[in-house]
Short mmCIF file of all heavy atoms in Angstrom, two decimals:
data_model
loop_
_atom_site.label_atom_id
_atom_site.label_comp_id
_atom_site.label_asym_id
_atom_site.label_seq_id
_atom_site.Cartn_x
_atom_site.Cartn_y
_atom_site.Cartn_z
N ARG A 13 -7.19 18.59 -2.78
CA ARG A 13 -8.13 19.16 -3.74
C ARG A 13 -8.02 18.44 -5.08
O ARG A 13 -9.04 18.14 -5.72
CB ARG A 13 -7.87 20.66 -3.91
CG ARG A 13 -8.90 21.33 -4.82
CD ARG A 13 -8.84 22.85 -4.72
NE ARG A 13 -7.55 23.38 -5.13
CZ ARG A 13 -6.67 23.95 -4.32
NH1 ARG A 13 -6.93 24.07 -3.03
NH2 ARG A 13 -5.51 24.40 -4.78
N LEU A 14 -6.80 18.13 -5.51
CA LEU A 14 -6.63 17.36 -6.75
C LEU A 14 -7.28 15.98 -6.64
O LEU A 14 -7.90 15.49 -7.59
CB LEU A 14 -5.14 17.20 -7.08
CG LEU A 14 -4.34 18.46 -7.41
CD1 LEU A 14 -2.90 18.09 -7.75
CD2 LEU A 14 -4.97 19.26 -8.54
N ILE A 15 -7.13 15.37 -5.47
CA ILE A 15 -7.73 14.05 -5.25
C ILE A 15 -9.25 14.14 -5.31
O ILE A 15 -9.92 13.31 -5.93
CB ILE A 15 -7.24 13.46 -3.92
CG1 ILE A 15 -5.74 13.09 -4.03
CG2 ILE A 15 -8.06 12.23 -3.52
CD1 ILE A 15 -5.09 12.71 -2.72
N ARG A 16 -9.82 15.15 -4.67
CA ARG A 16 -11.28 15.31 -4.69
C ARG A 16 -11.79 15.55 -6.11
O ARG A 16 -12.89 15.10 -6.47
CB ARG A 16 -11.70 16.47 -3.79
CG ARG A 16 -11.56 16.18 -2.30
CD ARG A 16 -12.29 17.21 -1.46
NE ARG A 16 -11.77 18.57 -1.66
CZ ARG A 16 -10.77 19.11 -0.98
NH1 ARG A 16 -10.15 18.39 -0.04
NH2 ARG A 16 -10.38 20.35 -1.20
N ARG A 17 -11.00 16.26 -6.91
CA ARG A 17 -11.40 16.55 -8.30
C ARG A 17 -11.22 15.34 -9.22
O ARG A 17 -11.70 15.34 -10.35
CB ARG A 17 -10.59 17.72 -8.84
CG ARG A 17 -10.93 19.06 -8.22
CD ARG A 17 -10.01 20.15 -8.76
NE ARG A 17 -10.36 21.46 -8.24
CZ ARG A 17 -9.63 22.56 -8.45
NH1 ARG A 17 -8.52 22.48 -9.19
NH2 ARG A 17 -10.00 23.72 -7.94
N GLY A 18 -10.50 14.35 -8.76
CA GLY A 18 -10.26 13.17 -9.57
C GLY A 18 -9.15 13.31 -10.58
O GLY A 18 -9.02 12.48 -11.49
N THR A 19 -8.31 14.33 -10.42
CA THR A 19 -7.17 14.49 -11.32
C THR A 19 -5.89 13.89 -10.73
O THR A 19 -4.84 13.89 -11.39
CB THR A 19 -6.93 15.99 -11.63
OG1 THR A 19 -6.75 16.71 -10.41
CG2 THR A 19 -8.12 16.55 -12.38
N PHE A 20 -5.96 13.39 -9.52
CA PHE A 20 -4.85 12.70 -8.84
C PHE A 20 -5.51 11.53 -8.13
O PHE A 20 -6.29 11.72 -7.19
CB PHE A 20 -4.18 13.67 -7.88
CG PHE A 20 -3.06 13.10 -7.04
CD1 PHE A 20 -2.46 11.88 -7.33
CD2 PHE A 20 -2.58 13.81 -5.94
CE1 PHE A 20 -1.43 11.38 -6.56
CE2 PHE A 20 -1.55 13.33 -5.15
CZ PHE A 20 -0.98 12.11 -5.46
N ILE A 21 -5.22 10.32 -8.59
CA ILE A 21 -5.94 9.14 -8.11
C ILE A 21 -4.98 8.14 -7.47
O ILE A 21 -4.04 7.67 -8.12
CB ILE A 21 -6.69 8.45 -9.27
CG1 ILE A 21 -7.68 9.44 -9.91
CG2 ILE A 21 -7.43 7.21 -8.77
CD1 ILE A 21 -8.31 8.92 -11.19
N ILE A 22 -5.20 7.85 -6.20
CA ILE A 22 -4.48 6.79 -5.50
C ILE A 22 -5.46 5.64 -5.33
O ILE A 22 -6.36 5.70 -4.49
CB ILE A 22 -3.93 7.26 -4.14
CG1 ILE A 22 -3.02 8.47 -4.34
CG2 ILE A 22 -3.18 6.12 -3.45
CD1 ILE A 22 -2.56 9.11 -3.04
N LYS A 23 -5.33 4.63 -6.14
CA LYS A 23 -6.29 3.53 -6.17
C LYS A 23 -6.11 2.59 -4.99
O LYS A 23 -7.10 2.15 -4.39
CB LYS A 23 -6.13 2.75 -7.48
CG LYS A 23 -7.05 1.54 -7.60
CD LYS A 23 -6.77 0.75 -8.87
CE LYS A 23 -7.64 -0.50 -8.92
NZ LYS A 23 -7.34 -1.32 -10.13
N ASP A 24 -4.86 2.28 -4.63
CA ASP A 24 -4.64 1.28 -3.59
C ASP A 24 -3.26 1.44 -2.98
O ASP A 24 -2.37 2.08 -3.56
CB ASP A 24 -4.78 -0.13 -4.17
CG ASP A 24 -5.19 -1.17 -3.14
OD1 ASP A 24 -5.27 -0.82 -1.93
OD2 ASP A 24 -5.44 -2.32 -3.54
N ILE A 25 -3.10 0.85 -1.80
CA ILE A 25 -1.81 0.82 -1.09
C ILE A 25 -1.56 -0.63 -0.70
O ILE A 25 -2.43 -1.28 -0.11
CB ILE A 25 -1.85 1.71 0.17
CG1 ILE A 25 -2.15 3.16 -0.21
CG2 ILE A 25 -0.53 1.62 0.93
CD1 ILE A 25 -2.59 4.01 0.97
N LYS A 26 -0.40 -1.13 -1.05
CA LYS A 26 -0.07 -2.54 -0.79
C LYS A 26 1.22 -2.63 0.03
O LYS A 26 2.16 -1.87 -0.18
CB LYS A 26 0.14 -3.29 -2.11
CG LYS A 26 -1.04 -3.24 -3.07
CD LYS A 26 -2.11 -4.23 -2.69
CE LYS A 26 -3.13 -4.37 -3.81
NZ LYS A 26 -4.19 -5.34 -3.47
N GLY A 27 1.26 -3.59 0.94
CA GLY A 27 2.50 -3.91 1.65
C GLY A 27 2.86 -2.97 2.78
O GLY A 27 4.05 -2.85 3.11
N LEU A 28 1.88 -2.33 3.41
CA LEU A 28 2.19 -1.44 4.54
C LEU A 28 2.92 -2.18 5.66
O LEU A 28 3.70 -1.58 6.39
CB LEU A 28 0.92 -0.80 5.08
CG LEU A 28 0.48 0.52 4.44
CD1 LEU A 28 -0.85 0.98 5.01
CD2 LEU A 28 1.54 1.60 4.61
N GLU A 29 2.67 -3.47 5.76
CA GLU A 29 3.37 -4.24 6.80
C GLU A 29 4.88 -4.24 6.56
O GLU A 29 5.67 -4.32 7.52
CB GLU A 29 2.83 -5.67 6.87
CG GLU A 29 3.15 -6.57 5.69
CD GLU A 29 2.23 -6.37 4.48
OE1 GLU A 29 1.38 -5.47 4.52
OE2 GLU A 29 2.40 -7.11 3.49
N ASN A 30 5.30 -4.15 5.31
CA ASN A 30 6.73 -4.08 5.00
C ASN A 30 7.32 -2.75 5.46
O ASN A 30 8.41 -2.71 6.03
CB ASN A 30 6.94 -4.27 3.50
CG ASN A 30 6.59 -5.66 3.03
OD1 ASN A 30 6.88 -6.65 3.70
ND2 ASN A 30 5.95 -5.75 1.88
N TYR A 31 6.59 -1.67 5.19
CA TYR A 31 7.05 -0.36 5.67
C TYR A 31 7.12 -0.36 7.20
O TYR A 31 8.11 0.12 7.77
CB TYR A 31 6.09 0.73 5.18
CG TYR A 31 6.28 2.02 5.93
CD1 TYR A 31 7.38 2.84 5.69
CD2 TYR A 31 5.38 2.39 6.93
CE1 TYR A 31 7.58 4.00 6.41
CE2 TYR A 31 5.58 3.55 7.65
CZ TYR A 31 6.67 4.36 7.39
OH TYR A 31 6.87 5.49 8.12
N ARG A 32 6.12 -0.88 7.86
CA ARG A 32 6.06 -0.85 9.31
C ARG A 32 7.08 -1.77 9.97
O ARG A 32 7.40 -1.60 11.15
CB ARG A 32 4.64 -1.20 9.77
CG ARG A 32 3.64 -0.10 9.44
CD ARG A 32 2.21 -0.53 9.63
NE ARG A 32 1.31 0.58 9.35
CZ ARG A 32 0.02 0.45 9.04
NH1 ARG A 32 -0.53 -0.77 8.96
NH2 ARG A 32 -0.72 1.52 8.80
N ALA A 33 7.61 -2.72 9.21
CA ALA A 33 8.64 -3.62 9.76
C ALA A 33 9.96 -2.90 9.98
O ALA A 33 10.79 -3.35 10.77
CB ALA A 33 8.84 -4.81 8.82
N ALA A 34 10.16 -1.78 9.29
CA ALA A 34 11.41 -1.02 9.43
C ALA A 34 11.24 -0.01 10.57
O ALA A 34 10.72 1.09 10.37
CB ALA A 34 11.74 -0.30 8.13
N LYS A 35 11.64 -0.40 11.75
CA LYS A 35 11.50 0.48 12.91
C LYS A 35 12.61 1.53 12.90
O LYS A 35 13.75 1.26 12.52
CB LYS A 35 11.58 -0.34 14.20
CG LYS A 35 10.63 -1.53 14.27
CD LYS A 35 9.17 -1.10 14.21
CE LYS A 35 8.23 -2.29 14.35
NZ LYS A 35 6.81 -1.90 14.24
N GLY A 36 12.29 2.72 13.35
CA GLY A 36 13.30 3.77 13.43
C GLY A 36 13.62 4.35 12.07
O GLY A 36 12.82 4.35 11.14
N GLY A 37 14.84 4.86 11.94
CA GLY A 37 15.25 5.52 10.71
C GLY A 37 15.30 4.57 9.53
O GLY A 37 15.65 3.39 9.69
N ALA A 38 14.97 5.08 8.35
CA ALA A 38 15.02 4.27 7.13
C ALA A 38 15.04 5.18 5.92
O ALA A 38 14.54 6.31 5.96
CB ALA A 38 13.83 3.32 7.05
N VAL A 39 15.61 4.69 4.86
CA VAL A 39 15.57 5.35 3.55
C VAL A 39 14.49 4.66 2.73
O VAL A 39 14.52 3.44 2.57
CB VAL A 39 16.92 5.27 2.83
CG1 VAL A 39 16.81 5.79 1.40
CG2 VAL A 39 17.99 6.05 3.59
N ILE A 40 13.53 5.43 2.25
CA ILE A 40 12.50 4.90 1.36
C ILE A 40 12.89 5.26 -0.06
O ILE A 40 13.16 6.43 -0.37
CB ILE A 40 11.12 5.50 1.68
CG1 ILE A 40 10.71 5.18 3.12
CG2 ILE A 40 10.06 4.97 0.70
CD1 ILE A 40 9.44 5.88 3.57
N THR A 41 12.97 4.28 -0.93
CA THR A 41 13.26 4.54 -2.34
C THR A 41 11.98 4.42 -3.14
O THR A 41 11.10 3.63 -2.81
CB THR A 41 14.30 3.55 -2.89
OG1 THR A 41 13.81 2.21 -2.74
CG2 THR A 41 15.62 3.69 -2.15
N CYS A 42 11.85 5.21 -4.20
CA CYS A 42 10.64 5.15 -5.03
C CYS A 42 10.98 5.53 -6.46
O CYS A 42 11.89 6.32 -6.70
CB CYS A 42 9.57 6.10 -4.47
SG CYS A 42 7.95 5.94 -5.27
N ASN A 43 10.25 4.95 -7.40
CA ASN A 43 10.37 5.39 -8.80
C ASN A 43 9.79 6.79 -8.93
O ASN A 43 8.88 7.18 -8.20
CB ASN A 43 9.70 4.39 -9.74
CG ASN A 43 8.25 4.09 -9.38
OD1 ASN A 43 7.87 4.00 -8.21
ND2 ASN A 43 7.42 3.90 -10.39
#
C-alpha cells in the first residue's frame, strides 16, 4: 500500500545474479 501511494519507492534492483550465485544457506548483509 505504501508503494502504491508513492511513499515507499523501489526504483531499481541491481546484481540479482550475485544473490542467485549463493546456493543454499547464506547471510545477507545490508545497510
Side-chain angles (χ1 to χ4, degrees):
R13 185 166 61 249
L14 295 182
I15 290 171
R16 289 193 299 272
R17 290 177 177 173
T19 56
F20 177 15
I21 301 171
I22 302 173
K23 178 184 176 182
D24 206 354
I25 300 164
K26 303 280 191 180
L28 272 176
E29 69 279 4
N30 293 320
Y31 165 74
R32 290 168 178 159
K35 308 298 183 182
V39 172
I40 301 173
T41 59
C42 188
N43 54 323

